[in-house]
C-alpha cells in the first residue's frame, strides 16, 4: 500500500522538516519510513504528505507532521521507555512513538476512532501498541508510572492524574490553554515526589481535551 508516488512525496516532506533544523534526526527517520496516508481515508491519500492536519472520524484531526515531529522531539523518548499517549486519534503519533522504540499505551475517548486505529496499527504490524478506550483525564493508573506522557489534545489545565502517573525524572508534553484561545505547549518534568518544573515551548493549536467518553 506504500507506492513509489507516496514515498517520493514523503521524502520531500521530511526534507522540508529537516531543513528547518528544529527536529530530532531519529524522529525524522521514523517519519520517513512510516506511511502517513495509511492513517487517512482514501479521499485524503493524495494530500497525506502536505504539512497539514486533516479530518479523521468523530470531528477529530490527525496532527500536522511538523507538530508530530515537534512533540516527539521534545519528548526525548528513549528505547524501551513506557510512554502514555492521550488522544490516539488515527494512531499515527502512537506509531511514531513505537518506532522510536517506546512501549506505547494510548488512550482514546471515541469508540470508532479507537477501533479504527487498532485496525490500522495491526495492518502495519504495529500491534504491540496497546490501545484503550478511556478518558485521558484519569490516565491509565493500573500501568503507571510512565517515563513519558504525551497529550495530543489541548487541556484547560494539566489533569492531576497525569502529573501523578509521571515517573520522577520523567517528561510530559501537553498543550494547555482555555478553550477557544491559543494554547501553549508545555514541557513538564517531574523532579521529585511532590515537585514538577514547567517550560513553555511555544504556541500551538490542538483539538480540545474533553471530559468523559465520546
Ligand atoms: N494523536 C492523534 C491526534 C488526534 S487529535 C493522531 O496522531 O492522529 C486528538 C485526539 O484526542 C482525538 O481523537 C480526541 O478524541 C482525543 N481526546 C480528546 N480528549 C480526550 C480524553 N479526555 N481522553 C482520551 N482521548 C481524548
Amino acid at each position: 500500500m506504500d507506492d513509489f508516488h507516496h514515498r517520493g512525496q514523503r521524502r520531500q516532506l521530511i526534507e522540508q522538516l529537516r531543513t528547518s533544523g528544529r527536529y530530532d534526526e531519529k524522529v525524522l527517520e521514523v517519519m520517513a519510513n512510516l506511511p502517513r496516508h495509511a492513517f487517512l481515508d482514501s479521499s485524503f491519500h493524495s494530500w497525506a504528505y502536505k504539512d497539514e492536519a486533516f479530518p479523521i472520524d468523530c470531528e477529530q484531526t490527525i496532527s500536522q507532521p511538523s507538530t508530530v515531529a515537534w512533540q516527539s522531539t521534545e519528548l526525548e523518548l528513549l528505547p524501551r521507555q513506557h510512554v502514555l499517549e492521550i488522544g490516539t486519534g488515527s494512531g499515527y503519533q502512537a506509531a511514531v512513538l513505537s518506532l522510536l522504540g517506546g512501549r506505547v499505551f494510548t488512550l482514546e475517548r471515541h469508540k470508532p476512532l479507537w477501533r479504527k486505529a487498532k485496525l490500522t496499527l495491526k495492518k502495519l504490524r504495529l500491534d504491540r501498541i496497546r490501545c484503550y478506550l478511556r478518558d485521558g483525564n484519569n490516565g491509565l493508573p493500573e500501568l503507571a508510572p510512565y517515563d513519558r506522557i504525551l497529550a495530543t489534545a489541548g487541556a484547560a489545565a494539566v489533569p492531576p492524574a497525569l502529573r501523578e502517573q509521571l515517573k520522577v525524572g520523567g517528561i510530559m508534553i501537553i498543550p494547555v490553554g482555555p478553550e477557544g484561545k491559543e494554547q501553549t505547549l508545555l514541557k513538564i518534568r517531574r523532579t521529585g515526589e511532590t515537585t514538577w518544573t514547567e517550560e513553555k515551548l511555544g504556541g500551538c493549536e490542538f483539538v480540545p481535551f474533553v471530559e468523559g467518553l465520546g
Side-chain angles (χ1 to χ4, degrees):
M1 67 179 169
D2 194 20
D3 64 20
F4 167 76
H5 196 60
H6 288 131
R7 280 199 295 273
Q9 290 180 331
R10 190 157 69 240
R11 224 178 341 242
Q12 267 184 13
L13 168 67
I14 300 305
E15 242 351 273
Q16 179 191 323
L17 296 177
R18 185 173 280 128
T19 307
S20 76
R22 297 178 61 200
Y23 312 114
D24 186 271
E25 188 53 35
K26 286 192 290 298
V27 170
L28 295 177
E29 260 169 44
V30 159
M31 291 176 65
N33 290 311
L34 183 63
R36 185 175 187 243
H37 64 277
F39 295 83
L40 289 167
D41 278 343
S42 52
S43 50
F44 286 105
H45 278 189
S46 55
W47 300 87
Y49 299 102
K50 302 231 172 270
D51 189 19
E52 283 172 33
F54 290 110
I56 50 176
D57 294 342
C58 306
E59 294 174 5
Q60 302 303 316
T61 54
I62 182 172
S63 303
Q64 214 176 320
S66 53
T67 303
V68 173
W70 185 27
Q71 288 201 297
S72 307
T73 296
E74 291 294 349
L75 196 62
E76 301 179 37
L77 181 65
L78 299 172
R80 289 180 294 282
Q81 283 187 329
H82 287 209
V83 52
L84 178 68
E85 182 197 21
I86 318 298
T88 313
S90 67
Y92 180 78
Q93 173 73 73
V96 169
L97 299 175
S98 179
L99 293 168
L100 284 167
R103 282 210 54 192
V104 184
F105 306 88
T106 180
L107 315 184
E108 174 55 57
R109 60 185 289 276
H110 284 295
K111 198 168 190 177
L113 290 176
W114 167 70
R115 277 222 192 97
K116 198 167 177 180
K118 278 205 299 189
L119 276 176
T120 308
L121 293 170
K122 194 166 181 192
K123 277 192 205 145
L124 293 168
R125 300 187 181 190
L126 288 166
D127 39 359
R128 51 185 190 282
I129 297 172
R130 309 262 301 267
C131 302
Y132 299 82
L133 183 63
R134 294 282 184 97
D135 176 4
N137 280 290
N138 305 323
L140 187 65
E142 62 268 40
L143 295 169
Y146 304 94
D147 301 288
R148 299 288 185 264
I149 298 179
L150 176 64
T152 64
V158 182
L162 297 185
R163 279 186 197 276
E164 286 307 327
Q165 290 172 28
L166 188 62
K167 255 187 207 167
V168 173
I171 296 175
M172 166 159 48
I173 303 291
I174 182 169
V176 172
E179 229 191 294
K181 296 236 172 92
E182 211 208 20
Q183 301 155 343
T184 305
L185 192 63
L186 294 185
K187 183 168 188 167
I188 296 174
R189 291 175 197 266
R190 187 166 192 177
T191 50
E193 272 311 314
T194 56
T195 50
W196 292 263
T197 60
E198 243 176 62
E199 181 190 345
K200 292 191 171 87
L201 298 175
C204 56
E205 198 184 330
F206 286 84
V207 296
F209 196 125
V210 181
E211 198 87 35
L213 289 184

